[in-house]
Amino acid sequence: MHGIDPVVLVLMVGVVMFTLGFAGCVGALRENICLLNFFCGTIVLIFFLELAVAVLAFLFQDWVRDRFREFFESNIKSYRDDIDLQNLIDSLQKANQCCGAYGPEDWDLNVYFNCSGASYSREKCGVPFSCCVPDPAQKVVNTQCGYDVRIQLKSKWDESIFTKGCIQALESWLPRNIYIVAGVFIAISLLQIFGIFLARTLISDIEAVKAGHHF
């Protein structure tokens, strides 16, 4: 498995949003039932996919946790291969004060941070700077703060780096913010339902007007 490129993900989302926006806008302006049906059907599909993902994620939490671990570890391997992926992982680790999927040892999966004797990297037995506990006295980010950290005794790691894994950090974050997550999901769902309602109403009006022309 290779690390995901965040730019590709953003482009995919952008293409879907542009296509839906184009179909809905042109369909409404030109009163094109085909485009409006496409817009409405796609929104319905996305709505049910979101609902299915939410239900399955709740029912199969262990499976989701394992898939997320595999996903995170595969991206750790590609950390130095893509600057966008690197920034994404750094942002995730800094925001959640975590390091690796289940801990700093996960960075052995990356060829640059690996502790094996075959590695000649200067970052050997280290972690990215985003794993480091920030020093309030430092105004400039020390990007070398994680060098050689894992050579020390494990009991001393928490003095300089975060030792909690990002999966545990996210699992503890979700219960604390469950109302915010639920509110966002409900707001998005209501907007989708409102868009479906408007599209179906416009389609019905267009069909009624066309039917009236035949009399």
Side-chain angles (χ1 to χ4, degrees):
M1 293 178 64
H2 298 285
I4 187 173
D5 189 342
V7 174
V8 175
L9 184 62
V10 172
L11 285 174
M12 289 172 61
V13 174
V15 168
V16 172
M17 292 180 65
F18 173 80
T19 304
L20 280 176
F22 179 82
C25 184
V26 175
L29 289 173
R30 304 298 300 175
E31 297 184 350
N32 188 306
I33 294 179
C34 182
L35 286 176
L36 289 173
N37 278 325
F38 171 78
F39 172 81
C40 184
T42 306
I43 294 293
V44 170
L45 178 63
I46 292 174
F47 174 77
F48 281 109
L49 283 175
E50 290 172 350
L51 192 61
V53 168
V55 172
L56 290 174
F58 178 77
L59 295 176
F60 302 100
Q61 296 181 26
D62 292 337
W63 184 88
V64 171
R65 189 182 296 109
D66 290 339
R67 298 294 79 75
F68 184 78
R69 176 184 57 78
E70 292 175 3
F71 172 77
F72 200 94
E73 289 176 350
S74 69
N75 284 285
I76 284 177
K77 295 176 184 177
S78 306
Y79 177 77
R80 288 296 188 205
D81 299 338
D82 188 295
I83 188 63
D84 297 311
L85 176 63
Q86 183 175 316
N87 291 333
L88 180 64
I89 293 176
D90 285 334
S91 299
L92 177 66
Q93 293 190 145
K94 284 191 290 186
N96 293 281
Q97 297 186 344
C98 58
C99 188
Y102 280 103
E105 297 95 335
D106 290 331
W107 283 99
D108 271 333
L109 296 170
N110 186 280
V111 65
Y112 296 99
F113 297 99
N114 192 286
C115 271
S116 67
S119 175
Y120 295 99
S121 170
R122 179 60 190 88
E123 296 176 307
K124 176 181 178 180
C125 281
V127 292
F129 74 94
S130 54
C131 285
C132 296
V133 176
D135 185 355
Q138 286 186 341
K139 295 183 179 180
V140 179
V141 177
N142 179 12
T143 57
Q144 299 181 356
C145 61
Y147 284 16
D148 303 323
V149 168
R150 290 188 292 127
I151 294 177
Q152 305 172 17
L153 292 173
K154 190 177 290 189
S155 58
K156 294 184 179 181
W157 287 3
D158 57 0
E159 297 175 5
S160 53
I161 62 173
F162 303 121
T163 55
K164 180 170 61 175
C166 290
I167 292 179
Q168 294 99 316
L170 290 172
E171 286 178 341
S172 61
W173 176 88
L174 187 58
R176 295 197 310 268
N177 299 273
I178 189 65
Y179 292 111
I180 296 175
V181 174
V184 170
F185 180 78
I186 291 172
I188 293 174
S189 299
L190 289 175
L191 286 173
Q192 291 173 330
I193 292 171
F194 184 62
I196 294 168
F197 169 76
L198 289 179
R200 292 307 309 169
T201 301
L202 183 56
I203 290 171
S204 299
D205 291 343
I206 294 171
E207 289 176 341
V209 169
K210 286 185 176 180
H213 284 241
H214 294 295
F215 294 101

